[in-house]
Amino acid sequence: IPNAFFQVVEPMLKLLLTTMDNSALQSGTQLITLLLRRGQAKMIKGKVGNVPVISAILRVLDRLLSDQVPERGTCYVGSLCQLMIFKMGNVIGDNNAKKLIYKVIQRLCHTTFHALAEDLVCVLARLVHSQGPARFLKVMANTQLGSKGPSALIPTLQVWMNKYPEFLSGFQKKVALTALGKLVMSGEECMYTLRVPVERMEQKSGRRATRSNTSKKVVNVTLATRICELLCAEFQEEMVQAVERQY
């Protein structure tokens, strides 16, 4: 990347710390992510005034993961979080990485904007792939939502599984689904004891299901059951083709 590109880092980070404009927030986040990915060494050495660039980026992420800015403006924050946690972990330190993960969990559990949820889910999916399902489940179980809130495990996985079918990126769908597969294959007890609510269609009467004789019903199923349902739905066509090839 030409050196001239790095001259925009300082004004862009200052803008991201103040602006409420969705377009500026999105474009600025994407630019900082690109520069950090392609010019990591220069970004580590750079400064914003007397503050290291990496410290300034952490301040930006703290703002973008809060409720201070519009959700639409933060829909690309997950990619920047992934770089900071998984590529810059040795630079920012374990403590800052843990704080960043905690903020991602908090934001995911409270967001209503689908694109942001998709981006943040992939941060947690990367945690499953990098740390293993057992450690991930332990971290989620020990993370509390708010000062007196519940464990983050069920709310986080519930948002993850509810939002997954609507993911737009094929790559992010693959990352998220394979992570869920690893969770259920881990055999951890919580997969078979903890339950999540799922909406089902229930037929009232008659042999054929019609709009008039069906209704929605919420049932509680185990985490393992729900994950298996998502896996089967995703690979239904491939499963049918595999069976057909046998006959």
Side-chain angles (χ1 to χ4, degrees):
I1 297 178
N3 289 330
F5 275 76
F6 292 94
Q7 295 176 8
V8 305
V9 171
E10 181 172 351
M12 185 57 67
L13 288 174
K14 289 181 177 179
L15 177 65
L16 289 173
L17 286 170
T18 56
T19 185
M20 297 293 284
D21 181 76
N22 288 334
S23 180
L25 287 166
Q26 292 176 9
S27 300
T29 303
Q30 287 181 304
L31 178 59
I32 295 301
T33 302
L34 172 65
L35 293 175
L36 188 61
R37 181 178 289 120
R38 299 290 182 84
Q40 181 175 323
K42 289 183 179 180
M43 293 289 276
I44 291 174
K45 295 177 181 178
K47 287 191 174 184
V48 178
N50 295 322
V51 179
V53 165
I54 300 304
S55 297
I57 293 176
L58 287 173
R59 285 184 59 197
V60 167
L61 287 174
D62 187 57
R63 180 173 188 254
L64 296 180
L65 290 171
S66 71
D67 57 2
Q68 299 174 10
V69 293
E71 289 186 324
R72 289 185 177 276
T74 62
C75 58
Y76 299 117
V77 70
S79 299
L80 184 54
C81 287
Q82 287 190 51
L83 277 178
M84 293 294 282
I85 294 169
F86 301 108
K87 298 294 185 182
M88 306 289 292
N90 60 327
V91 178
I92 67 175
D94 289 342
N95 192 38
N96 280 323
K98 290 178 181 178
K99 288 181 179 178
L100 196 50
I101 292 169
Y102 175 75
K103 291 169 186 172
V104 167
I105 295 169
Q106 294 280 351
R107 195 71 181 109
L108 175 61
C109 291
H110 293 94
T111 185
T112 57
F113 188 48
H114 175 78
L116 176 58
E118 179 175 340
D119 218 34
L120 296 180
V121 161
C122 285
V123 178
L124 301 184
R126 284 284 303 275
L127 279 177
V128 176
H129 291 302
S130 64
Q131 298 185 357
R135 185 175 178 184
F136 171 83
L137 291 170
K138 184 177 180 180
V139 169
M140 291 296 107
N142 293 332
T143 299
Q144 192 176 18
L145 294 177
S147 58
K148 298 181 179 179
S151 159
L153 180 56
I154 290 295
T156 300
L157 289 179
Q158 189 171 346
V159 172
W160 184 337
M161 292 184 288
N162 288 345
K163 298 292 186 182
Y164 168 78
E166 303 172 10
F167 277 19
L168 298 177
S169 167
F171 175 74
Q172 291 188 331
K173 286 190 75 172
K174 181 179 179 181
V175 171
L177 187 63
T178 52
L180 288 176
K182 286 184 177 181
L183 291 178
V184 75
M185 290 174 63
S186 69
E188 292 292 319
E189 184 179 356
C190 64
M191 288 286 105
Y192 305 95
T193 56
L194 298 180
R195 294 176 175 270
V196 291
V198 181
E199 200 173 71
R200 296 275 195 262
M201 295 301 296
E202 186 179 58
Q203 187 173 334
K204 299 177 182 177
S205 61
R207 295 183 178 181
R208 293 182 59 188
T210 62
R211 184 177 297 180
S212 60
N213 72 349
T214 56
S215 62
K216 292 181 179 180
K217 180 181 180 181
V218 176
V219 297
N220 292 318
V221 300
T222 64
L223 288 171
T225 299
R226 184 60 183 140
I227 292 173
C228 287
E229 288 176 348
L230 291 173
L231 288 166
C232 289
E234 186 67 29
F235 297 109
Q236 184 177 12
E237 184 177 344
E238 287 83 351
M239 292 166 66
V240 171
Q241 292 175 355
V243 171
E244 290 176 346
R245 284 196 294 267
Q246 294 180 0
Y247 298 96

